[in-house]
Amino acid sequence: MTTAGTGHAEADRDEKGGIRTALAGLTTRGRSFLAAGVAAAVCSYVLGQSDLLRVGLLLAVLPLVCATILYRTRYRVAGSRRLSPARVPAGSEARVHLRMDNVSRLPTGLLMLQDRVPYVLGPRPRFVLDRVEAGGRREVSYRVRSDLRGRYPLGPLQLRLTDPFGMCELTRSFSTYDNLTVIPRVEPLAPVRLSGEARGYGDGRQRSLALAGEDDVIPRGYRHGDDLRRVHWRSTARYGELMVRREEQPQRARCTVLLDTRGIAFQGAGPDAAFEWAVAGAASVLVHMLERGFSVRLLTDTGSAVPGEGGDGFAGASQGSADAAGLMMDTLAVIDHSDGEGLSRAYDVLRGGNEGLLVAFLGDLDEEQAAVVARMRQRGGGAVAFVLDSETWMREPSDVPGPLDGSGERLRMLREAGWTTLGVPRGASLDDLWRQADRERRGVAAAGGGEGP
């Protein structure tokens, strides 16, 4: 939950244009009274009726007086906004709580509260607040929902002030606003065992601890907050200062998620488009791998890796999984198509070393780009590719004769290079494809007499 900063709504004569603002705020009733008064005054002059002139003056002066008094009224009202939650998956609802505090010594009149929201989040909410006593508060709330991921501004709040006779309405705006982040939908995935999990992780931790005795541990200087039970007394006596044992840290398994964002590789738009399925799939895999203890990295076709906790761009080893997942979800919430035409930049990043498990979400591939992707697969790790072919994706699920087995020429190129490749039909479940990828990997491993890709 986040709380917006507090703002104040007050009259400002210089910025609002003085009396013109007050006159512009006249309602239909106020303009009617003013027009009737002017007409009565003109008629009294033509007809020579002094009594009609007094009536006309009364009708004309009443809205002017109401506008002047309302314009000079300086309400001091503080407003705040709280989102619950501030980060919500696409298709889910978030609740926005608004709070108004009267910080002046005078009670307010009738207040109409309005919050600005983008049209994709729903209609603009409006509330009527009764008279707020001095030092009092009012709280209201409304719900927002979007099927499209993104970052949407909420606010600023607007107060519409009116006089008791309904002759004039003036609007006062707050200066603060909040951002609601709509992240991709995350689909739970089965805990299958893909290549890259066991290398340097799991039992590797026990081996590293068993091979290093207490005397072989490299100590470091004591830092405030270190556990005194970790004091290494032999090194303390040798160096003359308090030394503690270093914690053994196992080498964590790594996973790189490659997301193809090329505009030419995807067709269609909207929440059911192929690109949105790829973004949601990348988000699901990233969260799944973080929960399993992997160090993960999100890589795009532009060669940019986000987020990066160090020079290698991986996240999850030194910061909490929840924080790392939040950073990547914020990135995926606003990611859009790139202008690139190839995947060579991503290949340049990957060819630098063994990156562990590689999971790719790819759009349309021509022969040249399929060859680039084939070279991305590292010898020391597994590689899984989900290919969203536009021709296949635009067909209805019932038109697809069965599960796509990668019989196409480009999918076959990736399989021959060691990739576990699956075509993605429209409406496919990522969890089902995830399980199918594991079955295919185990089938290749059994046929080859060893661990498959």
Side-chain angles (χ1 to χ4, degrees), residues 146 159 379 386:
S146 175
L159 276 179
R379 294 182 179 180
F386 300 95

Side-chain angles (χ1 to χ4, degrees), residues 243-255:
M243 307 291 288
V244 296
R245 294 187 298 272
R246 293 180 184 270
E247 292 286 349
E248 290 292 338
Q249 297 291 340
Q251 182 182 359
R252 297 170 66 94
R254 289 181 170 183
C255 174

Side-chain angles (χ1 to χ4, degrees), residues 75-77 102 104 106-111 130-134:
Y75 290 134
R76 297 187 63 230
V77 181
N102 184 11
S104 66
L106 299 176
T108 69
L110 189 66
L111 302 179
D130 294 333
R131 178 177 178 273
V132 183
E133 65 278 4

